[in-house]
Amino acid sequence: MKLVTYAVAAVLAVIFVVRGIILPIAHRVGGGNGGETQEVQAEPVAADPNAAVRQPLKGQGDVAKVSSLTPGWHEDENGRWYQNADGTYYAGGFQEIEGVEYSFDENGYMQTGWVSKGVEDYYFNEDGSYNAEKKRPMLAITLDDGPGQYTDTLLDCLEEYGAHATFFMLGQNVESYPDTVKRMVELGCEIGNHSWDHENMYNLSLDGVAQEFSQTDNALIEACGQAATVARAPYGNWSQDIIDTVGKPFFMWSLDSRDWDYKDVDKDYNEVMNGDLTDGTIILMHDIHEPSVQALLRIIPELIEKGYKLVTVSELAEAKGVTLQNASYSDFWQSSLDNGLVAGYNGGGNSSSAENTDGDSDGFEGSSDGDAGEFSSDGGDGSEDDFEDGSGE
């Protein structure tokens, strides 16, 4: 019976090749149309990385498709797919068909629900049509002062749920957990520099600032093969001179969990889940505290269940159309983008590059509508009394 099935499939494949490929080519070479009208589909734009490609039938794995020799939609046990007049089918991207945008997986089957392309997410209805009105909100969870003994537990959770985070690490701790740092990179998380030993940058010369961050970058290179892509100043104390000296984008935050103060799982959880989770929010937590990590084990799956996508700060910037510069960033809210408050967004102004000489930060604890509110820098990154020898405890 198997031999008969394979023989039938082989015969159908030969017929398909003759009808779908050889005859059309011979026909075009001959310059005639034989009196037949042939359906024509628009080719996808080659420059679009999200565009589907015309995939030729590949053999036995396409037996179901071989048996369908007519252009148009077809369906088998694996789902719906679309065959072109030349015998190919769309695969691996987006394609407009009869005025409707569809998404096809690498095997050529129509996709529904959320489809990710790079850092962007697109939603396709049950009938396969693209829903431009449905947007997936994005958040960036950032962790300071690690790595530590609880960081791998957090990485387990991130890996399980396909989430990313940004780790702003202390160089002196990196040396103790090189394998943990390497794992962060392998999971798609972002490597951030938080200085060597959490010194107040305002108390250092610019040469001292440079040494704090360069020494940490060297430790990161030793641990995982790469330097930090972004930075965060201890206590949120930055100035444009400090940023220029370090030569990286600096990140503040727009939701401070105050986990460094509470050290209580329920309080940490409530501070985040009841906080301002506007699309584009940057959340501050610390992976050196066990209650913080335990709270995140609840927070991460619940945020994803609510429809949020958890990304790194650089992924968030890219998704929002921001080219990161040597400036300070605290959020990527649409209101901030529209008001020119985010450096590198469509040529908008950089209000965050003003020198922060009085110790107040550029991070805001915003209201629910995304407008900036009050922020206090008196411990948002861990108070002096709370922090000893980089432990944060």
Side-chain angles (χ1 to χ4, degrees):
M1 183 62 70
K2 289 184 178 179
L3 290 175
V4 172
T5 301
Y6 292 155
V8 171
V11 171
L12 289 173
V14 171
I15 294 173
F16 168 78
V17 170
V18 172
R19 289 183 55 183
I21 299 177
I22 296 177
L23 289 180
I25 291 174
H27 177 74
R28 285 194 293 271
V29 172
N33 59 22
E36 296 181 2
T37 301
Q38 190 165 3
E39 182 179 348
V40 178
Q41 283 86 25
E43 291 286 350
V45 179
D48 183 359
N50 293 337
V53 297
R54 288 176 179 259
Q55 179 67 54
L57 297 178
K58 295 175 287 187
Q60 185 178 336
D62 285 323
V63 168
K65 296 185 176 69
V66 169
S67 64
S68 300
L69 301 177
T70 58
W73 286 102
H74 298 277
E75 188 167 359
D76 59 39
E77 65 274 13
N78 296 312
R80 298 186 71 204
W81 56 281
Y82 190 87
Q83 181 175 295
N84 295 292
D86 63 1
T88 61
Y89 60 90
Y90 291 122
F94 303 157
Q95 178 63 40
E96 182 178 315
I97 300 173
E98 297 179 354
V100 179
E101 190 86 4
Y102 296 92
S103 178
F104 297 92
D105 67 18
E106 61 182 6
N107 294 314
Y109 290 101
M110 185 188 79
Q111 295 178 291
T112 60
W114 288 108
V115 175
S116 296
K117 291 289 185 181
V119 297
E120 297 283 0
D121 283 357
Y122 304 84
Y123 190 82
F124 292 83
N125 299 316
E126 286 300 313
D127 64 357
S129 60
Y130 171 54
N131 188 338
E133 295 181 358
K134 197 161 186 176
K135 304 293 184 184
R136 176 175 265 178
M138 294 184 177
L139 303 172
I141 295 176
T142 63
L143 293 310
D144 282 11
D145 298 347
Q149 60 181 314
Y150 312 112
T151 305
D152 270 308
T153 300
L154 175 56
L155 291 177
D156 290 341
C157 183
L158 292 170
E159 181 175 17
E160 179 180 356
Y161 290 97
H164 295 165
T166 305
F167 291 85
F168 291 99
M169 292 176 281
L170 297 176
Q172 64 180 12
N173 290 344
V174 168
E175 288 191 328
S176 300
Y177 296 92
D179 291 339
T180 300
V181 178
K182 186 182 302 182
R183 187 180 175 204
M184 292 175 188
V185 176
E186 292 171 349
L187 294 180
C189 293
E190 187 160 16
I191 302 303
N193 190 324
H194 198 40
S195 80
W196 179 260
D197 55 4
H198 212 274
E199 288 287 331
N200 185 337
M201 295 297 109
Y202 291 163
N203 296 335
L204 302 177
S205 66
L206 290 180
D207 286 342
V209 169
Q211 183 175 357
E212 283 277 331
F213 285 90
S214 64
Q215 193 174 355
T216 298
D217 268 346
N218 290 337
L220 289 169
I221 293 171
E222 181 69 22
C224 66
Q226 67 179 61
T229 51
V230 291
R232 173 174 282 164
Y235 314 108
N237 290 344
W238 63 275
S239 69
Q240 191 59 45
D241 284 343
I242 289 172
I243 292 176
D244 291 340
T245 296
V246 176
K248 301 180 190 289
F250 267 53
F251 280 85
M252 298 296 292
W253 52 89
S254 44
L255 197 167
D256 183 357
S257 68
R258 298 186 67 83
D259 63 332
W260 54 270
D261 184 21
Y262 297 141
K263 297 179 183 174
D264 179 278
V265 175
D266 290 334
K267 287 184 177 180
D268 295 344
Y269 169 87
N270 290 329
E271 199 71 24
V272 173
M273 297 306 293
N274 297 326
D276 183 357
L277 295 175
T278 299
D279 178 28
T281 288
I282 299 174
I283 300 169
L284 170 65
M285 297 191 77
H286 298 73
D287 53 318
I288 57 170
H289 303 311
E290 184 176 16
S292 302
V293 171
Q294 290 302 314
L296 281 166
L297 299 187
R298 294 167 56 188
I299 290 168
I300 289 170
E302 289 192 27
L303 287 175
I304 292 174
E305 185 178 356
K306 289 178 179 290
Y308 288 97
K309 184 174 185 179
L310 305 181
V311 297
T312 69
V313 291
S314 289
E315 288 173 334
L316 184 56
E318 181 182 348
K320 298 303 181 182
V322 174
T323 301
L324 291 174
Q325 303 175 9
N326 290 344
S328 180
Y329 298 87
S330 59
D331 66 73
F332 294 97
W333 296 333
Q334 192 60 49
S335 59
S336 298
L337 298 171
D338 292 341
N339 291 325
L341 302 178
V342 181
Y345 175 68
N346 292 339
N350 176 22
S351 65
S352 62
S353 64
E355 183 166 337
N356 184 23
T357 55
D358 58 2
D360 290 334
S361 106
D362 167 64
F364 298 103
E365 187 164 350
S367 61
S368 59
D369 61 1
D371 292 330
E374 296 277 333
F375 175 88
S376 173
S377 67
D378 58 356
D381 196 27
S383 66
E384 289 279 1
D385 294 336
D386 237 6
F387 193 95
E388 296 178 8
D389 299 328
S391 68
E393 297 178 349

